[in-house]
Amino acid sequence: MDSPAGQLQRAREQARSRLGDGYAQDLIDQDTLDERLEAVERAATVAEIDAIVADLRPVETTALVPASAAVAVSSPPARMRVLFSSIDRTGAWHVSPRTHVRVVFGNATIDLRQAVLPGGPIELDVNIVFGNLDLIIPPGWQLDNDCGAILGSVEQLSGPPPPGQPRQVLRLRGRVIFSSLTIHERLPGENAWGARKRRKREHKALAERSARALPAGDD
């Protein structure tokens, strides 16, 4: 027989899963999800946890990735949903001016390096719960990142901004809960190792230019 601590932990895991399902199916909104996740962590008994998710029935499903997300160009905002699954958007795919990205218990990769872009800024509204999102953009973009994290991480891997005006504006909004969002800056065809080497060279060159621009000190 499980110990009381083991029963409580299992009840928390089941409650998180049911909350994730409910959120993915629009049964609860973002604020309700946040409040209930916090309540699950604070609960001291299994009965308290069961009461928090009593109105959410378990749903048996493997994925929610509508095919329309890949071709939604003329009807923004588009929607990209991942539930207990994974999805990759790479190559010359069409990007809507605004896209809602929801990842629940899954993984997603959005590669914008060779994508067909709209005229103007791109907005991504992201909500990630117990999942991971890798966003790949080319150098020279202006990134406006306003994503918050709750027991998660938001990381940006990029080099120094190039001179001149940005070629594209990308705005990120949303929340990362028990999850990770990583923004990679890479050239087309460049892998993670090559990007790290390039960023190192760029930072070194920038430091050298800054040093040359400083006035010589008095002897």
Side-chain angles (χ1 to χ4, degrees):
M1 181 178 296
D2 289 345
S3 66
Q7 295 174 3
L8 190 62
Q9 181 61 29
R10 188 169 64 254
R12 284 200 176 100
E13 293 173 355
Q14 293 173 350
R16 293 174 189 141
S17 177
R18 291 175 67 176
L19 287 169
D21 290 345
Y23 178 67
Q25 298 175 52
D26 294 321
L27 300 178
I28 56 176
D29 59 20
Q30 182 69 57
D31 291 336
T32 302
L33 174 66
D34 295 345
E35 293 172 0
R36 295 198 187 188
L37 283 172
E38 292 176 1
V40 166
E41 298 306 313
R42 292 195 305 266
T45 66
V46 173
E48 290 179 25
I49 295 175
D50 290 342
I52 294 170
V53 296
D55 60 329
L56 299 176
R57 293 178 298 173
V59 177
E60 295 182 2
T61 183
T62 56
L64 268 178
V65 185
S68 59
V71 296
V73 179
S74 60
S75 302
R79 294 184 180 274
M80 184 182 301
R81 295 186 179 183
V82 182
L83 174 61
F84 290 102
S85 187
S86 65
I87 188 172
D88 291 338
R89 287 287 183 267
T90 61
W93 64 286
H94 290 268
V95 181
S96 173
R98 186 176 182 183
T99 304
H100 295 292
V101 181
R102 181 175 295 179
V103 182
V104 181
F105 290 97
N107 300 280
T109 299
I110 299 178
D111 190 341
L112 298 173
R113 290 175 294 178
Q114 297 177 311
V116 180
L117 306 177
I122 299 172
E123 297 184 11
L124 295 182
D125 298 320
V126 303
N127 286 296
I128 314 170
V129 183
F130 293 101
N132 302 282
L133 172 60
D134 287 306
L135 177 61
I136 307 174
I137 62 174
W141 282 27
Q142 176 182 326
L143 181 63
D144 180 11
N145 185 4
D146 193 29
C147 289
I150 301 175
L151 296 178
S153 66
V154 178
E155 185 178 9
Q156 180 176 343
L157 305 176
S158 62
Q165 295 295 321
R167 295 194 298 270
Q168 178 69 48
V169 177
L170 175 62
R171 300 190 179 105
L172 291 177
R173 302 290 185 272
R175 297 181 182 179
V176 179
I177 304 172
F178 293 99
S179 306
S180 68
L181 165 62
T182 306
I183 304 158
H184 309 268
E185 186 184 81
R186 299 178 188 170
L187 294 168
E190 189 176 50
N191 58 22
W193 173 247
R196 284 195 296 268
K197 292 175 63 178
R198 175 180 52 80
R199 289 196 300 268
K200 185 176 180 180
R201 292 194 302 268
E202 292 174 348
H203 283 293
K204 182 178 180 180
L206 179 61
E208 292 174 349
R209 288 196 300 268
S210 300
R212 289 194 298 267
L214 292 174
D218 295 334
D219 292 337

